[in-house]
Amino acid sequence: GILVKNHLVIFDVAHLELTPREQAAIADVITEQPRYVLGSRVFHPEDTIIQTAHNRIGGQQFTVMAGPCSVENQAMITDLAAKVKAAGATVIRGGAYKPRTSPYDFQGLGETGLRYLRAAADQQGLDVITEVMSIDEIAVAAPYTDIFQIGARNMQNFDLLKAVGKAGKPVALKRGLAATIDEMLNAAEYIAAQGNLQIMLVERGIRSFDSTYTRNVLDVGGIAVLRKLSHYPVIVDPSHASGHADLVAPLAKAGVAAGAQGMLVEVHQDPAKALSDAAQQLTPAQFAPLVQQVQQIHALLQQPLT
Amino acid sequence: GILVKNHLVIFDVAHLELTPREQAAIADVITEQPRYVLGSRVFHPEDTIIQTAHNRIGGQQFTVMAGPCSVENQAMITDLAAKVKAAGATVIRGGAYKPRTSPYDFQGLGETGLRYLRAAADQQGLDVITEVMSIDEIAVAAPYTDIFQIGARNMQNFDLLKAVGKAGKPVALKRGLAATIDEMLNAAEYIAAQGNLQIMLVERGIRSFDSTYTRNVLDVGGIAVLRKLSHYPVIVDPSHASGHADLVAPLAKAGVAAGAQGMLVEVHQDPAKALSDAAQQLTPAQFAPLVQQVQQIHALLQQPLT
Amino acid sequence: GILVKNHLVIFDVAHLELTPREQAAIADVITEQPRYVLGSRVFHPEDTIIQTAHNRIGGQQFTVMAGPCSVENQAMITDLAAKVKAAGATVIRGGAYKPRTSPYDFQGLGETGLRYLRAAADQQGLDVITEVMSIDEIAVAAPYTDIFQIGARNMQNFDLLKAVGKAGKPVALKRGLAATIDEMLNAAEYIAAQGNLQIMLVERGIRSFDSTYTRNVLDVGGIAVLRKLSHYPVIVDPSHASGHADLVAPLAKAGVAAGAQGMLVEVHQDPAKALSDAAQQLTPAQFAPLVQQVQQIHALLQQPLT
Amino acid sequence: GILVKNHLVIFDVAHLELTPREQAAIADVITEQPRYVLGSRVFHPEDTIIQTAHNRIGGQQFTVMAGPCSVENQAMITDLAAKVKAAGATVIRGGAYKPRTSPYDFQGLGETGLRYLRAAADQQGLDVITEVMSIDEIAVAAPYTDIFQIGARNMQNFDLLKAVGKAGKPVALKRGLAATIDEMLNAAEYIAAQGNLQIMLVERGIRSFDSTYTRNVLDVGGIAVLRKLSHYPVIVDPSHASGHADLVAPLAKAGVAAGAQGMLVEVHQDPAKALSDAAQQLTPAQFAPLVQQVQQIHALLQQPLT
C-alpha cells in the first residue's frame, strides 16, 4: 500500500485482509486510479512547480534550456553560456557522459566537462542540466548540476531511477524511443517512490517507420496526454526528435502549442564541427528568434478564451 | 521523360541513347531531383494556391474546414453548416460514402447525403469537401462537391488517384496510416501526372506502438517536411489523429505551429449520438474558441522575425 | 443481423426490440463473437478448403505459388511456368496490373500479360493467381485467372473488396502494411458478406522502425493468430516481407513453421534485369531447394506429437 | 584504431596522418567494414562457439534454455529444474532481479533467489542464465550464474555493458524493444571491446502497431540477418515475443526455422499463479513436445540440400 496525502492506496485488493474496524474507516474506494499514484493528477490535481536556484519550472512558466550536445572544451561552453542566456535561456545543457551508439565514438569529457559547465553557468546565472548514465556518476555530477537528466535509453534502467530518486535534486526523465505513456509514468514513479517528486517529463520523439526526413516522430499528442494525466512539468526536446537543424523550429513551436512548459534545445557555435549530433544543433543566430516565437505562442495560449 | 516548365526530366539516364546534337542541347543536369517532379519545389519553388468558389487555399492563407464525420440527415447538416460558418469555417466537410472497418457498420447516405451537404453549403456560402472511395463515385459526387477527398486507406489506390486526377477539381489527399513522406508525394504525383496540380496534402496521424490515449501520432515533423519538399498546401486533420475530442485542440494548435495552412475538423451537434466517430467529434461550442486560437497562432507565425 | 448457419447474429443488442415470443426462441447468447462473423472460427470451426482446377488449398495441404513479379513478355513466362512447376509449384503468379509507388515506373502489360500468363499456366497444368487493382480489372482478368489477388495497398479499398466478393472466384487478400489482425479479418468480411467464402489470407510483412536489412517484418505471430481466429487458409509471402533475395528462404521456412498453409514466392530467370522487384526475386535454382525444405518442415509439423 | 586478428581497423580515415613507412605497410583497405568490428563476420567468418560447464552454444548446436520468469521459492525451482531437464533443456533460466514496469510490482528475491537457482541447477547438471540490471548485481550474481543476461530495457545501458564485458563470463544480450539491428550489434560491441567475445544475441520481439493478440512481433528476419552479419550465437525468446502461452510454440518453431541456434522459454508449474508473466509461461507438459518439434526442425535444417 502507498500513502498519498492521507489516502491509503492499495493495489491487489483480493490479497487484503482488513479487520471490520479498518474497513469501517475507509471513506471511499477509488477504482480508476492508475498504478503511478504519486505522479497521477487524481490525488494531486494542481501542477507541480519545481524551484531551482534560478527558475520556477512548471505551471504557467515556460523554461528555455539550451546548450551543446557535448561539452567539448572550456572556451566553447563559456562562450555558449553567454549566447544562450542572451537569447532567453535560463538553464544550460551539456553532456559530459555521452550515451553513444558505438563504443568507438566520443564518450564525453566526464568530470572535467562538468567543471567547465558549472563555471560557465555560474558566470551567467544559469541552472545546469546534465545527463547521468550510471549510479556512480550521480555522486560525481551532484556538485555540478541542478537537474539530473535521465536519457531515453535509460528510461527503464530501474536501478538508476531509484538512485537518482534518492539524490534529492530535480530529475528530467526522457521518454524512451518506444516507451508508451504508461511506461513513462511508471518509470517516473520509480523516482517518485523514493520521495522525490521534482520530476520533469521530456518528450523527444518516438520511433516510427519513416526516418528518411525526420529521425523520430515528435509525439505532440503525448505532450497533451502527459499534461492531463500527470502534474509534472512537461518539456519538449525538438532537437533529438528532428535530427535535422531545419526541423527544430517547427517541432519546438508544435511542442509548445501542444502544451509543453519548457524546451530543451541543442545549440553549438559551429554545428558542422561538433563532436556529436552535428546535424541537428542550431547556431546561436538560429536559436534566438526561435525562443522569441515560442515564447509568443506560449503567452498567447495563457490568455483566457473568449 | 517528363516535361516540367521547359525542363525535360529524364529518369534512368543509363538507358539513354542521345545523339551528340541532343547532348549539346542539354543546359544542365539536375541529379538531386526526386521522382515526384510535378509536386517538388525544385522546379516549382512558389506555393501553389488553390482557388475555389469561396476560398484561396495555400500560401499565407489559413483555411478552416469543418463538419460532421457523416451526413446523417438534412436537418443536422443544415444546422451545422450555419454553426461552423459562424465559428470561422469556410469549407464544410461531411461523409456520404464512408470507409468503415466492418461491412456491418453504417456506410453513409450516398448521393442523398451529397444533396443535403451541397444545399447546406450553398445556404451559407461555403465550399464542400467530401470523400470518394471508388471511380464510380467521382462522377456521382462531382456536381455536389468543390474538393474531392481521398482517404488514408486509399492513398495508394492508384487507379482512383488517376481517375480523380482527370476530374478537374481540387483533391485533398490524406496520408496513409503507415505511408512514408516519399510514398505520399509519389501518390500525389499520380494525380498531378493527369494534369491536375490542385492538390492538398493532409496529415492525419500515423500508426505507432502506443494507442492507449491517442489513436494515431500526429506527425508534425511530416507537416514541416511536406512544406519544404512540395509546393502544395498542407492541411492538418487533428480529429483522426487524436481519436478523442479532448486532444483535438492541442493537435490542431501543434499542426498550425508546425506550418499547416489549414485544418479539417470533425464537428457534430451531439457527438455521443453520432453514427460514426462518436469519440472524436467536437461540439460547435468547443470548436469556436479553437478556431480563434489557431488563427491567432497562424497570424503570429506570419509576422517577420526580428 | 447476419444469418450464419442457422444462428442469427445481432450486433448492437441495445437497439433491439424483441417480442417476448422472439426472446423465448433464443437458445443462447454468444457475447464473445467478433464482428467478422463469417470469417470467425466460432461458427465455422473446421478449416476452409478452397477447390480450384488443380489444387485443394487449406487444411493439411501446403500449396506452392510462384512466378515473376511482373509478366514481362511471353517467352519469360512460358519458360518460368515450366521451371516453377518442376520445382514443386502448382500455382503460377505474375503481375499484369502493377501497383507501383511512382506513376513513372513500369505499370504492367495489362490484358496482354494476362493472356501470356494463362497460356503458360495451361501448358503446365497450373492455376493462375494475379492482382487486380480496380473494379474494372476484375471483369478483364476473370477469364484468365483462377485466383484474384488483392494487394496490401488495397486491403481497405472497400468497394474493390465488395466487387471481388461478387466475382465468384477465390480471393487472396494481402495484409496491409500497417493493418491490424482485426482490420484484416474485417476486410475479408467485406468479401465474405457478398457470399464468397473462398478467401486466402496472405501475411507479407508489416512496417517497422528498422528497414536497413529487411524491407518489412514478417509477422509470424500474425500467421499463428489468423490460423486460430479464422478458418481461411493462411499463406506466407516471404518475398515482399524480405525485400532481399537472401532472406526469402529463412522467412519462408519461418512462415511454414508458424502454421502457413502455402507460400507465394517471386521467381525470375534473371532477377537483376527484372522490370520490378529486382532485389528480392529468386532464381529457379534458388527456388527448387527451398520448396523441398519448406515441404519437409510442413510434413514434420503434420505428424502427431508423442 | 582497433586491432582485430592482426588487422588494424581505423575509422575516420580523414583524421589520419600516417608516415610514408606506415602507409607502405598497409596491405589492403577494407571500406565496407561496419563499426562493430569485433562482432562482424568480415574478420571473423566462422561461428563463435561458447563453451560453458555443460554446453557448447553456437555453430551447429541447438541449446534449450528454460525456467520460470521469476525464482519464487526453493521448492518450485528445484522441481522445475528436474522437469525442464527431462524435457531437453540444458540451461535453466530464472529471474532474481526483475525489471518490472511498476515499482509496486514484485521485484524478485535477489541473492536468495540466485542461491536457490544455483542449487537446483547443480542437482541436475544444468548451466544457469540470469538477468543483472545494475553494475552492483554483477558481482553478487557472478558466483551463482554461468551466463549473464542483459534485458531488453538495458540493451543500451552502456555502463552496464562495459561492466558485464569485464566480468569474464558469457553474456546473453536481448534486443531492445525498438532497437535496430545495427544498434544491437553496436551494443554487443561495448561488451566485446572489453575483451569478451562470449556473446549471445537474443531476439525477443519488437514493438509494432498491433498488440491485440501478440505482445510483440518476433522479428524472424532479424534472426537471419544477425546470423549473416555476426558470428555470435543467435537465440530466440518466443515467450516475451508472444505474451500468450498458446503462441509460444509457433514462434519458437518460426525462430528455429529462421536460423536460431537456441531458445529461451519461460516454464512454470502453474502459470496462472506466477508472480510475474502469468499469461505467457508454459507448463512442463506443454514444453516437452515443443522441444521435440523444435529439435526436429533444427536437425532437418542441418541436412545438406540436394
Side-chain angles (χ1 to χ4, degrees):
Chain A
I2 313 293
L3 197 66
V4 186
K5 301 197 173 184
N6 289 336
H7 293 72
L8 176 66
V9 178
I10 300 166
F11 306 113
D12 304 323
V13 180
H15 296 174
L16 276 184
E17 294 185 28
L18 297 182
T19 64
R21 196 169 151 182
E22 285 166 337
Q23 292 193 16
I26 296 173
D28 60 344
V29 176
I30 295 173
T31 56
E32 296 275 314
Q33 170 59 40
R35 301 219 77 176
Y36 44 91
V37 282
L38 300 173
S40 157
R41 279 205 189 265
V42 174
F43 293 118
H44 193 314
E46 68 283 8
D47 280 5
T48 281
I49 308 280
I50 298 174
Q51 182 69 57
T52 62
H54 302 285
N55 286 281
R56 284 170 55 79
I57 302 170
Q60 303 270 93
Q61 309 295 319
F62 190 82
T63 308
V64 179
M65 313 181 185
C69 177
S70 302
V71 179
E72 299 177 5
N73 57 61
Q74 185 152 24
M76 72 91 76
I77 194 70
T78 305
D79 175 61
L80 264 181
K83 285 179 170 145
V84 300
K85 169 91 185 274
T90 53
V91 181
I92 188 164
R93 62 150 287 150
Y97 302 103
K98 300 300 305 170
R100 304 304 302 276
T101 300
S102 165
Y104 310 126
D105 287 334
F106 175 60
Q107 307 271 316
L109 293 185
E111 191 171 357
T112 306
L114 292 172
R115 203 158 44 231
Y116 297 159
L117 184 60
R118 180 77 264 163
D122 287 345
Q123 252 178 22
Q124 302 294 335
L126 298 168
D127 286 327
V128 163
I129 179 172
T130 201
E131 177 165 355
V132 285
M133 292 166 57
S134 69
I135 295 173
D136 289 350
E137 289 165 15
I138 294 173
V140 179
Y144 302 105
T145 195
D146 300 287
I147 305 168
F148 289 114
Q149 179 182 301
I150 301 295
R153 292 168 187 78
N154 280 318
M155 194 200 83
Q156 290 190 314
N157 180 343
F158 298 120
D159 288 284
L160 181 63
L161 297 178
K162 289 177 188 170
V164 83
K166 288 182 190 137
K169 290 204 171 186
V171 179
L173 177 68
K174 289 203 169 184
R175 183 175 177 186
L177 278 163
T180 64
I181 294 290
D182 279 339
E183 287 170 343
M184 189 188 200
L185 289 170
N186 276 304
E189 195 77 3
Y190 269 93
I191 300 167
Q194 302 298 329
N196 182 354
L197 292 176
Q198 299 180 82
I199 297 171
M200 288 161 250
L201 304 173
V202 185
E203 165 59 35
R204 43 83 75 221
I206 54 176
R207 282 256 153 101
S208 89
F209 53 85
D210 189 9
S211 51
T212 308
Y213 302 108
T214 54
R215 193 166 58 174
N216 297 117
V217 174
L218 184 71
D219 184 6
V220 285
I223 291 174
V225 168
L226 289 172
R227 287 295 312 270
K228 188 171 71 171
L229 296 180
S230 139
H231 49 83
Y232 300 129
V234 177
I235 310 295
V236 63
D237 170 352
S239 302
H240 288 88
S242 75
H244 301 278
D246 64 349
L247 287 174
V248 171
L251 294 190
K253 290 183 261 183
V256 66
Q261 293 153 298
M263 68 175 176
L264 184 57
V265 180
E266 289 190 348
V267 179
H268 191 283
Q269 287 98 336
D270 188 355
K273 294 196 181 144
L275 295 182
S276 54
D277 281 359
Q280 80 200 21
Q281 301 196 61
L282 298 186
T283 62
Q286 294 166 320
F287 176 62
L290 173 60
V291 173
Q292 236 187 320
Q293 273 201 330
V294 166
Q295 286 175 334
Q296 286 170 349
I297 296 174
H298 183 261
L300 194 157
L301 296 176
Q302 307 313 305
Q303 294 166 13
L305 289 171
T306 55
Chain B
I2 312 291
L3 196 67
V4 186
K5 299 194 174 187
N6 289 335
H7 292 71
L8 176 65
V9 179
I10 299 167
F11 306 113
D12 303 323
V13 180
H15 294 173
L16 276 184
E17 294 185 27
L18 296 182
T19 64
R21 195 168 154 183
E22 286 167 336
Q23 291 193 17
I26 295 173
D28 60 343
V29 176
I30 296 174
T31 56
E32 296 275 314
Q33 169 60 40
R35 300 218 77 174
Y36 44 90
V37 282
L38 300 173
S40 158
R41 279 204 189 265
V42 173
F43 294 118
H44 194 314
E46 66 284 9
D47 280 6
T48 281
I49 308 280
I50 298 174
Q51 180 70 57
T52 62
H54 303 286
N55 286 281
R56 285 171 55 79
I57 302 171
Q60 303 270 93
Q61 309 295 317
F62 190 83
T63 307
V64 179
M65 312 181 187
C69 177
S70 304
V71 179
E72 298 177 5
N73 58 62
Q74 185 153 23
M76 71 91 77
I77 194 70
T78 306
D79 175 61
L80 263 180
K83 284 178 173 149
V84 299
K85 168 90 184 276
T90 54
V91 181
I92 186 164
R93 62 151 287 153
Y97 301 103
K98 299 301 305 169
R100 304 304 301 276
T101 300
S102 164
Y104 310 126
D105 287 334
F106 175 61
Q107 306 272 316
L109 293 184
E111 190 171 356
T112 305
L114 292 171
R115 204 158 42 231
Y116 298 159
L117 184 60
R118 180 76 264 166
D122 286 344
Q123 251 177 24
Q124 302 294 337
L126 298 168
D127 286 327
V128 164
I129 179 172
T130 199
E131 177 166 355
V132 284
M133 292 168 57
S134 69
I135 295 173
D136 288 351
E137 289 165 15
I138 295 173
V140 179
Y144 302 104
T145 196
D146 301 286
I147 305 168
F148 288 113
Q149 179 182 302
I150 301 296
R153 292 169 187 78
N154 280 319
M155 193 201 85
Q156 290 190 314
N157 179 345
F158 299 120
D159 288 283
L160 182 63
L161 297 177
K162 289 176 188 170
V164 84
K166 288 182 190 139
K169 291 203 171 185
V171 179
L173 178 66
K174 290 202 169 185
R175 182 174 179 188
L177 278 162
T180 64
I181 294 290
D182 280 339
E183 287 169 343
M184 190 187 198
L185 289 170
N186 275 304
E189 195 77 3
Y190 269 92
I191 300 167
Q194 302 297 329
N196 183 354
L197 292 176
Q198 300 181 80
I199 298 170
M200 289 161 249
L201 304 173
V202 185
E203 165 60 36
R204 43 82 76 220
I206 53 175
R207 283 257 151 100
S208 90
F209 53 84
D210 188 9
S211 51
T212 309
Y213 302 108
T214 54
R215 193 166 57 175
N216 298 118
V217 174
L218 184 72
D219 184 6
V220 285
I223 291 174
V225 168
L226 289 173
R227 288 295 313 269
K228 188 171 72 171
L229 296 179
S230 141
H231 50 83
Y232 300 128
V234 178
I235 309 295
V236 63
D237 170 353
S239 302
H240 288 87
S242 74
H244 300 279
D246 63 349
L247 288 174
V248 171
L251 293 190
K253 291 184 261 182
V256 66
Q261 293 153 297
M263 69 176 175
L264 184 57
V265 180
E266 289 189 349
V267 179
H268 190 284
Q269 287 99 336
D270 188 355
K273 294 195 181 144
L275 295 181
S276 53
D277 282 359
Q280 79 201 21
Q281 301 196 61
L282 298 186
T283 62
Q286 294 167 321
F287 176 61
L290 172 60
V291 173
Q292 237 188 318
Q293 272 201 329
V294 165
Q295 286 176 334
Q296 287 170 349
I297 296 174
H298 182 260
L300 193 157
L301 295 177
Q302 307 312 306
Q303 293 166 15
L305 289 172
T306 56
Chain C
I2 312 291
L3 196 67
V4 186
K5 300 193 172 186
N6 290 335
H7 291 72
L8 176 65
V9 179
I10 300 167
F11 306 113
D12 305 322
V13 180
H15 295 173
L16 276 184
E17 294 184 27
L18 296 181
T19 63
R21 195 169 153 183
E22 285 166 337
Q23 292 193 16
I26 295 173
D28 60 345
V29 176
I30 295 173
T31 56
E32 296 275 314
Q33 170 59 42
R35 299 218 78 173
Y36 43 91
V37 282
L38 300 172
S40 157
R41 279 205 190 266
V42 173
F43 293 117
H44 193 312
E46 68 283 9
D47 280 5
T48 281
I49 308 280
I50 298 174
Q51 181 69 57
T52 62
H54 302 286
N55 286 281
R56 284 170 57 78
I57 302 169
Q60 302 270 93
Q61 310 295 318
F62 190 83
T63 307
V64 179
M65 311 182 187
C69 177
S70 303
V71 179
E72 299 177 5
N73 57 61
Q74 185 152 24
M76 72 90 77
I77 193 71
T78 305
D79 175 62
L80 263 180
K83 284 177 173 149
V84 300
K85 169 90 185 274
T90 53
V91 181
I92 187 164
R93 62 151 287 152
Y97 301 103
K98 299 300 306 170
R100 303 305 301 277
T101 301
S102 164
Y104 310 125
D105 287 335
F106 175 60
Q107 306 271 315
L109 293 185
E111 191 171 356
T112 305
L114 291 172
R115 205 160 40 232
Y116 296 160
L117 184 60
R118 181 76 263 166
D122 286 346
Q123 252 177 22
Q124 301 295 335
L126 298 168
D127 286 327
V128 164
I129 179 172
T130 200
E131 178 166 355
V132 285
M133 292 167 57
S134 69
I135 295 173
D136 289 350
E137 289 166 15
I138 295 172
V140 180
Y144 302 105
T145 196
D146 301 287
I147 305 168
F148 288 113
Q149 178 182 304
I150 301 295
R153 292 168 186 79
N154 281 318
M155 194 200 84
Q156 290 189 314
N157 179 343
F158 298 121
D159 287 285
L160 182 63
L161 298 177
K162 288 176 188 169
V164 84
K166 289 181 189 138
K169 290 202 172 187
V171 179
L173 177 67
K174 289 202 170 185
R175 183 174 178 187
L177 278 163
T180 64
I181 295 290
D182 279 340
E183 287 170 342
M184 188 186 200
L185 289 170
N186 276 304
E189 195 77 4
Y190 269 92
I191 301 167
Q194 303 297 331
N196 183 354
L197 292 176
Q198 300 180 81
I199 298 170
M200 289 160 249
L201 304 172
V202 185
E203 164 59 35
R204 43 83 75 222
I206 53 174
R207 283 257 152 99
S208 90
F209 52 85
D210 188 9
S211 51
T212 308
Y213 302 108
T214 54
R215 192 165 59 175
N216 297 118
V217 174
L218 184 71
D219 184 6
V220 285
I223 291 174
V225 168
L226 289 173
R227 288 295 312 271
K228 189 171 72 172
L229 296 179
S230 140
H231 49 83
Y232 300 128
V234 177
I235 310 294
V236 64
D237 171 352
S239 302
H240 288 88
S242 74
H244 301 278
D246 64 349
L247 287 175
V248 171
L251 294 190
K253 291 184 262 183
V256 65
Q261 292 153 298
M263 69 176 175
L264 185 56
V265 180
E266 290 190 347
V267 179
H268 191 282
Q269 287 99 336
D270 189 354
K273 295 197 180 142
L275 295 182
S276 54
D277 281 359
Q280 79 200 22
Q281 302 197 60
L282 297 186
T283 62
Q286 293 167 321
F287 176 62
L290 172 61
V291 173
Q292 237 187 319
Q293 272 200 331
V294 165
Q295 286 176 334
Q296 286 171 349
I297 296 174
H298 183 260
L300 193 157
L301 296 177
Q302 307 312 306
Q303 293 165 16
L305 290 172
T306 54
Chain D
I2 312 293
L3 197 67
V4 186
K5 300 195 173 185
N6 289 336
H7 292 71
L8 176 65
V9 178
I10 300 167
F11 306 112
D12 304 323
V13 179
H15 295 173
L16 274 184
E17 295 185 25
L18 296 181
T19 65
R21 194 167 155 186
E22 285 166 338
Q23 291 192 18
I26 295 172
D28 61 344
V29 176
I30 295 174
T31 57
E32 296 275 314
Q33 170 60 39
R35 301 218 77 172
Y36 44 89
V37 283
L38 300 173
S40 158
R41 278 205 189 264
V42 174
F43 293 118
H44 193 315
E46 68 284 7
D47 280 5
T48 282
I49 308 279
I50 298 174
Q51 181 69 57
T52 61
H54 303 287
N55 287 281
R56 284 170 55 79
I57 302 170
Q60 303 269 92
Q61 309 296 317
F62 189 83
T63 307
V64 178
M65 312 181 187
C69 177
S70 304
V71 179
E72 299 177 5
N73 58 61
Q74 184 152 26
M76 72 91 76
I77 193 70
T78 306
D79 175 61
L80 263 181
K83 285 179 171 146
V84 300
K85 169 92 184 274
T90 54
V91 181
I92 188 165
R93 63 151 286 152
Y97 301 102
K98 299 301 305 170
R100 304 304 301 276
T101 300
S102 164
Y104 311 125
D105 287 334
F106 174 60
Q107 307 270 316
L109 293 185
E111 190 171 356
T112 306
L114 292 171
R115 202 157 46 231
Y116 297 159
L117 184 60
R118 180 76 263 166
D122 286 346
Q123 251 178 23
Q124 303 294 335
L126 298 168
D127 286 327
V128 164
I129 179 171
T130 200
E131 177 166 354
V132 285
M133 291 167 58
S134 69
I135 296 173
D136 289 351
E137 289 165 15
I138 295 172
V140 180
Y144 302 106
T145 195
D146 301 286
I147 305 168
F148 289 113
Q149 179 182 303
I150 302 294
R153 291 167 187 78
N154 280 318
M155 193 201 84
Q156 290 190 313
N157 179 343
F158 298 121
D159 288 284
L160 181 62
L161 297 177
K162 289 176 189 170
V164 84
K166 288 182 192 140
K169 290 204 171 184
V171 179
L173 177 67
K174 288 203 170 185
R175 183 174 178 186
L177 277 163
T180 65
I181 294 291
D182 279 339
E183 288 170 342
M184 189 187 199
L185 289 170
N186 276 304
E189 195 77 3
Y190 269 92
I191 301 167
Q194 302 297 330
N196 182 354
L197 293 175
Q198 300 180 81
I199 298 170
M200 289 161 249
L201 304 172
V202 185
E203 163 60 34
R204 43 81 77 220
I206 53 176
R207 282 257 152 101
S208 90
F209 53 85
D210 188 10
S211 50
T212 308
Y213 302 109
T214 55
R215 192 165 59 175
N216 298 117
V217 174
L218 184 71
D219 185 6
V220 285
I223 291 174
V225 168
L226 289 172
R227 287 295 312 271
K228 188 171 70 172
L229 297 179
S230 141
H231 49 84
Y232 300 129
V234 177
I235 310 294
V236 63
D237 170 353
S239 302
H240 288 88
S242 74
H244 300 277
D246 64 349
L247 288 175
V248 171
L251 294 189
K253 291 184 261 183
V256 66
Q261 293 153 296
M263 69 175 175
L264 184 57
V265 180
E266 290 189 348
V267 179
H268 190 283
Q269 288 98 336
D270 188 355
K273 293 195 182 145
L275 294 182
S276 53
D277 281 358
Q280 79 200 22
Q281 301 197 61
L282 298 186
T283 63
Q286 294 166 321
F287 176 61
L290 172 60
V291 173
Q292 236 187 320
Q293 272 201 331
V294 166
Q295 286 175 334
Q296 286 171 350
I297 296 174
H298 183 259
L300 193 158
L301 296 177
Q302 306 312 307
Q303 293 166 15
L305 290 171
T306 54

